[in-house]
Amino acid sequence: MKLEDITKELSKLFDAMGDAGGIVVWHDPDTEFTEVAAELELPGIEVMREEENDLFRLKCALNEDLTGRRILLYRSHPRRLEGDWLADVEVRAQQFSADYVSIQLRELGAPDTREMRDALRARRTFLAKKTSLGKLRRLRKRYDTPQQLDLSIMALALGATAATPVAVTQRFLETMQGEGADAPLEKLQKAGVRDSFLEALAAWTGFSATDPTLATSHVLLSALSRAELADALKGLETHMSPAHAPFCHEVFEAWASSGDIDALREATEQVEAKTRLAELLSSADATSIEKLSFADVFPCVDAAILRRLLDMVSAPDRADEVIRIANRRRGLAWYGSFACYYQGVIAAACMRLFYRDHTEGMGALPAERVWDAYATEWNAFDRWYRDLHMALSAAIVDGSYDLDEAMRAACDSIERLYKGWFLPEVNGRWANAAADELDSQGYVSGIPRQLDFYMNKVDSLAQSKKRAWVVISDALRYEVATELAERLERDTKGSCELTSMQATLPSITKCGMAALLPHGSFTLEGSGQGGAGGLKVLVDGAETPSCAARQQVIRQNHPTGVAVQYETLISEMGRAERLELVGEADVVYVYHNSIDALGDKQGTERRVFQGCRDAVEELVATVRTIVKDFRASDVLITADHGFLYTEEPLGEAEHVGIDEVTGEVIEYGRRYVVAAEGATSEFLMPVRLPGGCGVIGLFPRECVRIRKGGSGENYVHGGISLEEMCVPALHFRNHRKGSASYEETEAASIRAVFENNTVTNTLFYLDFLQTDPVGGKVVPAEYDVYVADSALEPVTDVARIVANMASPSAQERTVRARFCLRTGFSPSSSASYPLLAKNAQTGEVTELASLRIQIAFAPDDFGW
């Protein structure tokens, strides 16, 4: 400091004392300001200097009555009370220093000790930058030790988000992975803390190798060792430090949440390759699946778990375990990378559970009961089958760790269950129960009919509302409509009522589309001479093969009615064009086709499940557009028919030939025959067709196909199976906010489930129950769960709990999470610690429970 600045600072100190006076001690340990002190001109202030041979006289002078006197005592050494003759003076005096190190000490809130002065001098190069002190102050309010100073300098040098051992270590590894092995050490060397960092790294992680590039492997393997996999990790003991596992796992978690997940994935895969970790973990007897299920850190852990789960789904008695373990993996670092596999294995396990619970058969139920069972419960089996094959498609594209082959094997096992048990069992029951009524009247009494859809749904809506909206999605199977209803409930302000109705037989497009229109008469007849030209479907005497033809039929009852293709209304038109097209129409039919467009073509029929997913997305968007542009309050969504699909074609024994029909065949497909009256077949079931004029229907039982060239070995419709005949009738009602019927969506909640609230180990487990199944207005949510201190800061690692399970079983909605006390935390046995759940989407924090932590020792920072 300059003489002028020193004079001003000292004047301020003395002026603050007032008339009472007092002593200011100026410490100058490096004797930088000896001459300056001699030149000081401070009116009214006595300047005293400490001389080596004059301490007694000085002490006497300073112990006199000094009331009203203002004294500056200059001393050429640092403040050190022990053994100091003037200690009593130092205690009651104010302190002042003018050297640069003293200024830095004051700005950093650091004690004036020889250790801190030496530390600052050693970091002179780094601190020479004008901005350095400000950055250090922002990282920490007070520096009590040289280690704290070095830690902050490390953080600044590496660009860490915080001056903590975890953040610094994570950033070191991340920089080494992204910029090269030498980059972070060069940055630390430039800041003057390279050696200090390596010393700290050894204390924090146990890493002591001379080659710093091995630090990544050491930290990651040490983090993995927390999972109690000693038997599986034999041979890697020298590459890790289990004693430092909690800290190393915190580093891993920090890296996983840093946003640079790709660099972490690359680092883990490099370690896996060097250590052959995947082989060790994949060994069947290496460790139990239960222990492995709590491990993370490396993607190959998920691969090892999935191999076992995919093998386990072949056993019905292990399906519960499969679901429990797969759900436990949700929210861990690599779950997203393996999501398709986990979703597939859960779907397969659900199918196995269904089989286990129905191994004695579905029972001899009346047709209406069979139908209701399918609509309320059994259709889930078709949805799980679809989910499984969607997962397989994603797995084939992903191909991680060759898991696609394990997934194929599991799918083959489930394929046999679906084709060999479920389809024959369900549809055998249905065919047996419905056969008499289908033969005598063409439908089953007590079940709504597609032919009555207009009268029961559309006409009544058109009379009570300004406009009736009807969206018809070709081949929208009932189980797909259940997913659509869930999405609409979750993603809109509306509610859904999903019911079912019998498709018009044969369950093909020209029958179903016609049956949904207004009509006085509905007739099936053969065309051409003797019916040889195929089946004609007539609505009030007219065929309706096109959108324009259907609009003509609609306008016979509603002169302003409109029929329009989805692509035209949604994809090609803007809002103004849509408003102009619809005009004053009181009935609007919108025709959508994503499923049948793929399924009915040989080259794309295997993509039909993707078509189902696309259909759900497009129909949600369609409803939103209708509500937004037309302020519609009600939208009806239905289909012309459903479909049967098996990933593998049926065997030759599951086919019948058309030559098995005795009589005149008018038209046939793989799942139906329309023939002239009097035709018979030993292998096909007779069905009376609605409005049939000289024609009858003959249908295969269960899922048998009729031999025919072209497409349709995998995807078929036209028959009497529940998958084909059970057509959805979904009524969406939009509710404006504030209306009596409006209901907000609610995030699925969780609660802790345990009897003992005392933690007695640094590593512990807690169970959490998702209180309600996802569905309707209860929507999925994710929670970060942790134990916190009085300041609500985490004292354990953070577990991600994903609450997205729709199962009605509370047991299936219960997940277990593992927690570990963080390094440096010393719990009080008399204190209570809140268990908190933070909603990852909203940030809202809820206290789930209060815990007591009573352990013999807690993790520490290993002396650094």
Side-chain angles (χ1 to χ4, degrees), residues 798-815:
V798 179
R800 175 63 62 92
I801 305 295
V802 181
N804 67 348
M805 288 169 275
S807 171
S809 168
Q811 182 178 357
E812 292 179 11
R813 299 196 311 274
T814 301
V815 296

Side-chain angles (χ1 to χ4, degrees), residues 646-698:
T646 53
E647 183 67 15
E648 296 299 326
L650 272 65
E652 183 60 26
E654 297 165 299
H655 288 74
V656 298
I658 192 63
D659 56 0
E660 302 289 347
V661 177
T662 301
E664 183 182 355
V665 174
I666 294 172
E667 179 177 306
Y668 77 99
R670 293 188 183 275
R671 289 286 295 161
Y672 71 97
V673 175
V674 177
E677 283 187 347
T680 61
S681 172
E682 180 183 354
F683 301 102
L684 301 177
M685 195 172 86
V687 174
R688 182 173 181 176
L689 299 181
C693 294
V695 297
I696 64 165
L698 298 168

Side-chain angles (χ1 to χ4, degrees), residues 394-458:
I396 291 171
V397 173
D398 178 69
S400 294
Y401 295 87
D402 295 326
L403 284 171
D404 53 315
E405 291 303 314
M407 183 74 108
R408 282 183 190 277
C411 285
D412 288 344
S413 170
I414 296 299
E415 191 75 15
R416 292 190 292 272
L417 185 67
Y418 186 64
K419 286 168 50 181
W421 177 78
F422 178 75
L423 290 179
E425 182 74 21
V426 169
N427 290 304
R429 297 289 178 187
W430 166 246
N432 292 337
D436 290 343
E437 286 190 281
L438 291 177
D439 186 16
S440 63
Q441 61 188 26
Y443 61 89
V444 175
S445 301
I447 302 173
R449 300 172 64 197
Q450 191 180 50
L451 275 169
D452 299 327
F453 173 76
Y454 170 78
M455 179 179 64
N456 293 339
K457 301 283 187 179
V458 183

Side-chain angles (χ1 to χ4, degrees), residues 599 605 642-645 670-671 703 705 712-718 724:
E605 66 175 328
F643 64 88
L644 265 176
Y645 179 84
R670 293 188 183 275
R671 289 286 295 161
C703 54
R705 268 72 154 168
E713 274 300 301
N714 302 81
Y715 171 91
V716 292
H717 59 88
E724 298 162 282

Side-chain angles (χ1 to χ4, degrees), residues 309-310 312-324 326 341-357 381 384 388 410 414 417 812:
L309 295 182
L310 288 166
M312 288 163 61
V313 293
S314 298
D317 59 337
R318 302 197 71 181
D320 287 307
E321 186 181 2
V322 169
I323 294 173
R324 176 171 53 81
Y341 301 99
Y342 283 113
Q343 290 162 5
V345 82
I346 288 175
C350 287
M351 295 168 81
R352 285 292 180 189
L353 282 177
F354 184 97
Y355 173 71
R356 183 195 68 187
D357 295 340
F381 205 93
W384 293 324
L388 175 63
I414 296 299
L417 185 67
E812 292 179 11

